[in-house]
Amino acid sequence: MTTTSPHSFMRRETMECADAVERLWSRSGTAIAKAGDLLRDLDPPFVALCARGSSDHAASFFKYACEMQLGLPVVSMGPSIASVYQTPLRLKGAVMLLISQSGRSPDLLAMAKSAQAGGAKVIALVNDAASPAAELADLAIPLEAGPEKSVAATKSCLSSMAASLGILAAWSRNAALQSALSQMPADLRAAIAHDWAGMVEALTPASSALVIGRGIGLPIAMEAALKLKETSALHAEPYSAAEVLHGPIEIVHDGFPVLMFRQNDAAGASLDRCAKALKAAGAKVLVAGADLPVTRTAHPATELIGAMASCYLTIERLSRARGYDPDNPRLLKKVTETV
């Protein structure tokens, strides 16, 4: 294992997340508004998603937000359907939301081309505005996160989540969500000041952990679990609070660490019941929003994005505490071009 300095790229890039979202609003605000207009004009029967890794978690975040607000189905499309199986897609009248940091993975590009051939419009959220994905999309929205040198994506993932909420707010003309998004840079600056030392203490000696969320909090749990695997080689598994009691709780023992993301919406009560059951089984449950401080915001979705920023910084600390280099996982590279 190789350790790194306290000033890792992962830490520095997470600390830039508020500036990244400010750039997103100022430079890509017009494109986000156009995406809202496009969706409103088309009135698609559903929205399809195409993404991998952290970008896929951002896509799932949009899925929950869209389905909760509009009641419109949002489906995740496996890129291999186009790239490996070359199955023609029937997407007439639909919109595909493609999310990619690099905009260069061959399987994502194949899916976007197949979606267009099948009658869909493609909106691409990409950090590289000159990428092939941006060029082929019907509408490209640059994330404006700036370069990321750490293998673990942080500010680009948060910008993807923010941009997807911006599209939803523009599409639905939701003034309350738009107002909450305008406050995001300030909220993120507050979020990165929080100290989640209890999480570092609980997970440093751990060999396994559960990460729990529900509803729009589940993609946040999935992203946190991925980062724990990537940077700390920790076997962290994400589950919905609705699923963990149907089997996975059996692995819990005294002191077993559980990280839970609890947002202030209709899912809160079920998350509380899940936390109580896990504690009764002996788990050490750390709840973001109770045991771990979060910045309260005007909307549950923006509050979760802030919690993810706090978590990224904590995971970076945890990686170093466990003797790893958060910028350079042993078997990973920054851009993974799957076919």
Side-chain angles (χ1 to χ4, degrees):
M1 289 186 281
T2 303
T3 58
T4 187
S5 78
H7 304 293
S8 68
F9 286 120
M10 183 178 179
R11 175 176 174 77
R12 280 181 275 181
E13 288 161 6
T14 303
M15 295 292 288
E16 294 169 5
C17 64
D19 293 339
V21 172
E22 278 190 337
R23 288 193 298 270
L24 174 67
W25 299 152
S26 65
R27 299 178 185 177
S28 295
T30 299
I32 289 172
K34 287 181 179 178
D37 292 341
L38 175 64
L39 284 156
R40 197 164 47 253
D41 291 343
L42 288 176
D43 190 22
F46 64 93
V47 175
L49 302 173
C50 182
R52 287 205 184 277
S54 292
S55 295
D56 194 34
H57 300 153
S60 295
F61 191 77
F62 171 81
K63 169 184 169 66
Y64 275 97
C66 183
E67 291 179 345
M68 288 164 59
Q69 181 165 311
L70 300 180
L72 186 75
V74 180
V75 299
S76 178
M77 303 288 292
S80 62
I81 297 301
S83 64
V84 175
Y85 298 103
Q86 299 181 6
T87 304
L89 301 179
R90 295 184 292 174
L91 297 176
K92 184 177 180 180
V95 170
M96 173 167 282
L97 183 65
L98 183 153
I99 305 179
S100 174
Q101 298 157 46
S102 70
R104 298 179 184 281
S105 188
D107 57 345
L108 300 186
L109 296 174
M111 176 57 83
K113 293 174 183 177
S114 182
Q116 289 174 325
K121 297 291 185 182
V122 174
I123 299 173
L125 301 181
V126 289
N127 202 31
D128 183 352
S131 65
E135 292 175 1
L136 70 84
D138 296 282
L139 176 61
I141 300 175
L143 294 173
E144 300 293 351
E148 275 190 325
K149 295 184 178 180
S150 177
V151 168
T154 53
K155 60 179 179 175
S156 65
C157 183
L158 298 180
S159 291
S160 297
M161 292 179 181
S164 73
L165 289 180
I167 292 171
L168 179 60
W171 178 9
S172 61
R173 292 177 170 152
N174 185 323
L177 180 55
Q178 288 175 329
S179 177
L181 291 172
S182 71
Q183 295 299 314
M184 266 197 69
D187 292 337
L188 286 170
R189 290 189 176 95
I192 59 178
H194 292 312
D195 186 353
W196 287 14
M199 177 177 157
V200 177
E201 180 182 355
L203 293 182
T204 296
S207 59
S208 186
L210 292 175
V211 190
I212 308 298
R214 190 165 191 192
I216 198 169
L218 180 57
I220 298 295
M222 294 166 67
E223 173 63 7
L226 175 63
K227 290 296 185 288
L228 288 167
K229 294 185 185 83
E230 285 180 333
T231 66
S232 295
L234 178 62
H235 181 221
E237 291 301 319
Y239 282 98
S240 165
E243 297 291 340
V244 71
L245 303 182
H246 291 271
I249 194 173
E250 188 62 26
I251 70 172
V252 172
H253 51 75
D254 285 347
F256 188 94
V258 176
L259 173 63
M260 177 177 286
F261 291 89
R262 186 200 188 283
Q263 70 273 18
N264 288 312
D265 67 9
S270 66
L271 286 158
D272 292 340
R273 290 192 295 270
C274 180
K276 183 177 180 180
L278 289 164
K279 289 176 182 177
K284 170 67 174 177
V285 181
L286 296 171
V287 180
D291 309 290
L292 306 171
V294 301
T295 298
R296 297 303 181 188
T297 74
H299 195 282
T302 58
E303 191 165 301
L304 283 165
I305 293 175
M308 192 67 248
S310 302
C311 191
Y312 279 150
L313 289 174
T314 308
I315 290 172
E316 190 272 347
R317 287 173 59 191
L318 175 68
S319 176
R320 292 188 285 109
R322 287 169 63 89
Y324 291 92
D325 180 346
D327 290 336
N328 297 293
R330 182 172 60 93
L331 300 175
L332 304 177
K333 58 183 180 179
K334 184 60 182 173
V335 178
T336 303
E337 296 189 350
T338 48
V339 176

